[in-house]
Amino acid sequence: MPYELYYWDGIQGRGEFVRLALEEAGADYVDICRGSASKGQGMPAMLAIMESGAGSDIPFAPPFLKDGDLIIPHVANILMYLGPKLGLAPKGEGERHVLNGLQLTITDLVAEVHDTHHPIATSKYYEDQKDEAKDRAAEFIENRIPKFLGYFERVLQQNPHGPSHIFGNALTYVDLSLFQVYEGLRYAFPRATAHLGRRYPHLTALHATVMKRPNIARYLESDRRIPFNENGIFRHYPELDKDTA
Amino acid sequence: MPYELYYWDGIQGRGEFVRLALEEAGADYVDICRGSASKGQGMPAMLAIMESGAGSDIPFAPPFLKDGDLIIPHVANILMYLGPKLGLAPKGEGERHVLNGLQLTITDLVAEVHDTHHPIATSKYYEDQKDEAKDRAAEFIENRIPKFLGYFERVLQQNPHGPSHIFGNALTYVDLSLFQVYEGLRYAFPRATAHLGRRYPHLTALHATVMKRPNIARYLESDRRIPFNENGIFRHYPELDKDTA
């Protein structure tokens, strides 16, 4: 039975981190909200699960994964579950938790990216919090991008197996997520990220390597890869971007 | 060998969710930053790990847990690791991921609580972002508290084993974390949470039950429980609080 991914149609958003893992592994999966209602798919299928009274496994928010009867919400949780099954994570318990720790740091970064355009209220339009967004984005560019990317660069550099992967000597789902973060930050903040190659050489090399992997390259060319847009997490609002030293 | 918890001294903060699990289970643990430097503990011991060049397992931020050589960062990750060992989680893989999903929703809530007093920049003082904090706190009170607590109330109500626990028929670490969230929200927003008992009866009952558990009651009375204060996540700034309908 294929994995079922439930996430909003029309954006990469948080769902993209899961899509990249499924695509790299060539896994059999259905992106439910992008399917047609005539097949029992589409948005109504997602809402039916979220509004059901089935028990403790009802998700708070998309994305969530359905594997048979099991419903698993939250990106890092989905990836931790899928990782060993897709050959994108070690199987040892301790190693899985170390990897999950790295992914949860990406989760925090992604939440901060979201808040650069919605610092006050998710329920309100960007236009209604633009001044605050400018302040928050400036802080993000000045302090948070260096802190997060500096951290990942350092972990790559310190990997005893070499800087090609964030963990161990093989590709993991965290490498794929770092590709997506790098891609997203460059889309949202082209000026602020102009220096990435110089300042974060190992991260930049990792991004290039992931992009060239056959399954990822095919996916990026396909219409399954939704282009970045201003409804997702990474949004390009030129007024929030700026040059850095 | 005792578990070692690494977290800032002087606040409950995110570390408290881990402390509650360790205390409930009567686990042998050391709260490293609260120990003395003469024993190789205290803040320098934490910073030594964070600044070391040891590899992929260096945490981005506290809290982290050390179990022998294994270093595990992020609250939900630590609790997922400890849960089965402390008897506070089921051992089945699927169930562990469902429980982790619930805990990650608490993680998101806690991040939003933090941002009510720091909506623009973690690197700046609250006083320098007070106006924005008022707007963000108003949104939090009006929309986010009902969304999160309404969700947990619904999950309790839908638990096929009854509403005494958030998952299954026994206490888990998520029950303990919900106690802490309830406690923290009441501390930070006494006016906005005046209605909790009426609107979220199952959550309120869970909070009362956890508080009376012998190990938790002893812990709350001890000097190991740091009082809430205005350096932690849950801060009481009267100007951010308000009555709700």
Side-chain angles (χ1 to χ4, degrees):
Chain A
M1 199 152 66
Y3 293 115
E4 295 181 354
L5 172 64
Y6 291 79
Y7 192 63
W8 311 112
D9 187 17
I11 60 171
Q12 292 184 17
R14 291 182 167 84
E16 196 65 13
F17 297 94
V18 182
R19 290 192 189 105
L20 284 167
L22 292 164
E23 292 283 347
E24 164 62 28
D28 188 14
Y29 80 101
V30 184
D31 202 338
I32 293 289
C33 289
R34 304 193 74 194
S36 74
S38 65
K39 289 187 194 163
Q41 299 176 7
M43 200 81 104
M46 181 166 87
L47 297 178
I49 290 182
M50 295 186 65
E51 288 159 9
S52 82
S56 313
D57 55 354
I58 300 304
F60 179 75
F64 54 93
L65 182 84
K66 203 161 174 294
D67 182 13
D69 287 338
L70 192 61
I71 297 174
I72 300 181
H74 288 283
V75 170
N77 196 28
I78 296 169
L79 290 173
M80 192 185 186
Y81 175 78
L82 285 178
K85 299 182 204 314
L86 301 183
L88 292 170
K91 293 202 159 87
E93 191 203 8
E95 292 170 313
R96 287 182 66 191
H97 281 282
V98 172
L99 207 61
N100 187 43
L102 292 165
Q103 188 68 38
L104 285 168
T105 298
I106 295 175
T107 300
D108 288 349
L109 168 54
V110 168
E112 292 196 23
V113 171
H114 170 271
D115 282 9
T116 58
H117 48 77
H118 278 78
I120 302 299
T122 304
S123 67
K124 289 185 183 142
Y125 291 112
Y126 162 64
E127 285 70 22
D128 297 331
Q129 47 197 311
K130 203 189 251 191
D131 288 343
E132 297 91 339
K134 281 182 192 166
D135 290 342
R136 177 127 188 181
E139 162 76 9
F140 182 73
I141 288 168
E142 193 177 335
N143 292 319
R144 304 304 284 172
I145 290 182
K147 188 165 165 85
F148 278 105
L149 298 195
Y151 168 75
F152 288 119
E153 180 72 12
R154 180 176 153 228
V155 173
L156 283 168
Q157 196 167 3
Q158 289 180 184
N159 185 346
H161 299 278
S164 307
H165 300 293
I166 196 78
F167 184 87
N169 57 7
L171 186 84
T172 64
Y173 62 79
V174 180
D175 292 322
L176 301 175
S177 291
L178 286 172
F179 160 82
Q180 175 68 6
V181 162
Y182 194 98
E183 205 57 15
L185 288 176
R186 287 202 311 179
Y187 172 79
F189 305 105
R191 288 168 59 192
T193 57
H195 67 289
L196 291 196
R198 185 164 36 87
R199 197 162 306 163
Y200 310 105
H202 296 114
L203 204 54
T204 301
L206 174 62
H207 168 263
T209 308
V210 168
M211 189 180 255
K212 281 186 225 138
R213 293 185 68 90
N215 283 356
I216 295 294
R218 259 192 301 275
Y219 169 62
L220 296 178
E221 288 297 311
S222 77
D223 61 5
R224 297 193 303 287
R225 173 78 166 186
I226 303 161
F228 284 111
N229 61 48
E230 280 55 60
N231 295 314
I233 302 281
F234 294 101
R235 303 187 184 186
H236 179 50
Y237 293 129
E239 62 275 19
L240 300 186
D241 192 14
K242 63 176 186 176
D243 299 327
T244 54
Chain B
M1 199 152 66
Y3 294 114
E4 295 181 354
L5 172 65
Y6 291 78
Y7 193 64
W8 310 112
D9 188 17
I11 60 170
Q12 292 184 17
R14 291 183 165 85
E16 196 65 14
F17 296 94
V18 182
R19 290 192 189 105
L20 283 167
L22 292 164
E23 291 283 347
E24 164 62 29
D28 187 13
Y29 80 101
V30 183
D31 202 337
I32 293 287
C33 289
R34 304 193 73 194
S36 74
S38 65
K39 289 187 193 165
Q41 300 175 10
M43 199 81 103
M46 181 165 87
L47 297 179
I49 290 182
M50 294 186 65
E51 288 158 11
S52 81
S56 312
D57 54 356
I58 300 304
F60 180 75
F64 53 91
L65 182 84
K66 203 159 174 298
D67 182 13
D69 287 337
L70 192 61
I71 297 175
I72 300 181
H74 288 282
V75 170
N77 197 27
I78 297 169
L79 290 172
M80 192 185 187
Y81 175 78
L82 285 177
K85 300 182 204 313
L86 300 183
L88 291 172
K91 293 201 158 87
E93 191 204 6
E95 291 170 313
R96 288 182 66 191
H97 281 282
V98 172
L99 206 61
N100 187 43
L102 292 165
Q103 187 68 38
L104 284 169
T105 298
I106 295 175
T107 299
D108 288 349
L109 168 54
V110 169
E112 293 196 22
V113 170
H114 170 271
D115 281 7
T116 59
H117 48 77
H118 278 79
I120 302 298
T122 304
S123 66
K124 289 183 183 141
Y125 290 113
Y126 162 64
E127 286 69 21
D128 297 331
Q129 47 198 311
K130 203 189 251 191
D131 289 342
E132 296 91 339
K134 281 182 192 165
D135 290 342
R136 177 126 188 182
E139 162 77 9
F140 182 74
I141 288 168
E142 192 177 335
N143 292 318
R144 304 303 285 171
I145 290 182
K147 186 163 166 85
F148 279 104
L149 298 195
Y151 168 75
F152 288 118
E153 180 73 13
R154 178 174 156 232
V155 173
L156 283 167
Q157 195 167 3
Q158 289 179 185
N159 184 346
H161 300 278
S164 307
H165 300 292
I166 197 77
F167 183 86
N169 57 7
L171 186 83
T172 63
Y173 62 78
V174 179
D175 293 323
L176 301 175
S177 291
L178 285 172
F179 160 81
Q180 175 67 6
V181 161
Y182 193 98
E183 214 39 27
L185 288 176
R186 288 202 311 181
Y187 172 79
F189 305 106
R191 289 168 60 194
T193 57
H195 66 287
L196 291 196
R198 183 163 38 82
R199 196 161 310 163
Y200 310 106
H202 295 114
L203 204 54
T204 302
L206 175 62
H207 168 262
T209 308
V210 168
M211 190 181 256
K212 280 187 226 136
R213 293 185 68 91
N215 283 357
I216 295 294
R218 258 192 301 275
Y219 169 62
L220 296 177
E221 288 299 310
S222 76
D223 61 6
R224 296 192 304 286
R225 172 79 166 184
I226 302 160
F228 284 111
N229 62 48
E230 280 55 58
N231 295 313
I233 302 282
F234 295 100
R235 303 188 185 187
H236 180 51
Y237 294 129
E239 62 274 19
L240 300 186
D241 193 14
K242 62 176 187 176
D243 298 328
T244 55

